[in-house]
Amino acid sequence: MGFPVYSQGNPLTVIGPWSGDEMDAFLPVLKAFEEETGIKVEFLTYRAEDLVTLLPAQFTAESTLGDLIFMQSWFIQDQAKKGHVMEISAVIAEDDFIPGSLDGLKVDGKLYGVAYTGKVKPGFWFRKSFFEKNQLTIPNNWEDFQALLEKMKGIEGISAPIASGNGVGWPLSDITEHFIVAFGGTELFQNLLNHSIHWNDPKVKEIFTDKLAALLKENYFGEPSEWTMVLEKWWNGDYGLFFMGSWITGMVDDPSDLGVFSLPGTQGLVFAPDYLFIPTYTQDSENAKKLLSFLAIQGQELQVQQGGHLATYLNVPIEAYPEVDRNVAQLLEGKMALPDLDDTIGGEFQSKFWDQLKLLWVKPDQVDDVLDTLEAVFE
């Protein structure tokens, strides 16, 4: 793979994971920075799973692919400990951000990154028009949920009640995390996060066996396919429900037709900010700091206007959000905001988690093997 040649005088380079509609929603933010400052910016798309191997090699050579890079918090913290990330404690005021949203970016009390806008993963999305047409209602308990799925199976044209997005694996892990929180509670979720409970613990096995695998065995989930293709099929009525993050509101033709519900009893929702940092090896640190500050403050208000994002900057007015996103923000009320489990643990666990869930989706009777494999990562 060839890399862009970096030399002083080049535009600032921002690296992030977005392409397609998501990139189109981000580029106006960079354009606004260019117009305000006269500093040119270019955007390059790299997936986090590629950057996790590319960046350490670059940093070892005291070089960098970009001036600002969106990456997972565990990676930023790890690279900061090795001296590859610029400290930005003086660039922003921590009190202006959602409490706790910057904690994963600190080393020895110093700040090494910023939480940009975030996406909440609230639950199962549905089209209001689809529910009205088929006289479906939002479930109030687990039995209602099962009955809803069974009724959907009988609707003409439905491939499966729940669409299964795939790709590298995160759509399946998002669903699984929601089940863990709903039926294990926020404490068990946190215990898995810090590995104070084993993945093959009976409590975890019960959730996988009695809830998630039970639905898979009943063919309530569709066959995993690339998630943007599945999204289109779900929107066209091939599926009744689609578990996805709040960014979906910026990816459908009519966001006003969107409804969403969490699994009944859920007390916590995963809230996943997009984190960014400045590598130590940027050749334009002052302008890089200006862009980081802009993205953290003004940029967030511009981003939420595009739909599908929630701000971590507390001073973004509620009026800046499209109506459907205001409703998503309300789902968080009274619930604990939780970090994304596999993004936070990262490393070998993340890829193993994704692979094992792909296996579970086709062989739901292998819960024991899946959980033993996940636990073995920590041995």
Side-chain angles (χ1 to χ4, degrees), residues 228-287:
T228 59
M229 295 177 61
V230 169
L231 183 149
E232 186 174 343
K233 290 182 177 180
W234 160 73
W235 189 254
N236 290 331
D238 286 9
Y239 305 96
L241 303 173
F242 189 29
F243 191 98
M244 189 50 58
S246 56
W247 55 86
I248 197 174
T249 64
M251 299 182 69
V252 297
D253 293 336
D254 181 12
S256 67
D257 194 32
L258 282 172
V260 63
F261 64 86
S262 306
L263 279 172
T266 300
Q267 296 300 311
L269 297 176
V270 171
F271 181 71
D274 292 308
Y275 299 104
L276 71 155
F277 71 100
I278 302 173
T280 301
Y281 311 107
T282 175
Q283 296 181 35
D284 197 350
S285 60
E286 291 307 311
N287 282 340

Side-chain angles (χ1 to χ4, degrees), residues 10 12 21 32 49 75 101 136 143 165 183 188 220 223-224 244 250 312 317 363:
N10 282 347
L12 290 174
D21 291 341
E49 50 270 27
F75 181 88
S101 62
L136 304 173
E143 289 73 24
F183 300 108
L188 184 140
Y220 289 142
E223 182 178 346
M244 189 50 58
T312 60
K363 296 184 177 179

Side-chain angles (χ1 to χ4, degrees), residues 123-126 131 136-153 161-163 175 178-179 182-183 210-212 214-216 218 220-221 240-243 260-266:
F124 294 93
W125 295 89
F126 62 90
F131 265 45
L136 304 173
T137 56
I138 294 175
N140 292 315
N141 52 50
W142 174 245
E143 289 73 24
D144 284 354
F145 184 59
Q146 291 176 296
L148 172 65
L149 299 181
E150 186 61 27
K151 187 173 183 179
M152 283 181 171
K153 281 180 73 173
I162 307 173
I175 295 173
H178 191 64
F179 272 73
F183 300 108
D210 295 349
K211 304 301 183 186
L212 187 56
L215 298 189
L216 288 165
E218 293 291 340
Y220 289 142
F221 284 98
L241 303 173
F242 189 29
F243 191 98
V260 63
F261 64 86
S262 306
L263 279 172
T266 300

Side-chain angles (χ1 to χ4, degrees), residues 92-99 101-102 114-115 296-297 300 312-314:
I92 62 168
E94 291 185 37
D95 290 343
D96 289 340
F97 292 80
I98 292 176
S101 62
L102 303 178
V114 163
I297 301 173
Q300 292 209 41
T312 60
Y313 183 58
L314 294 172

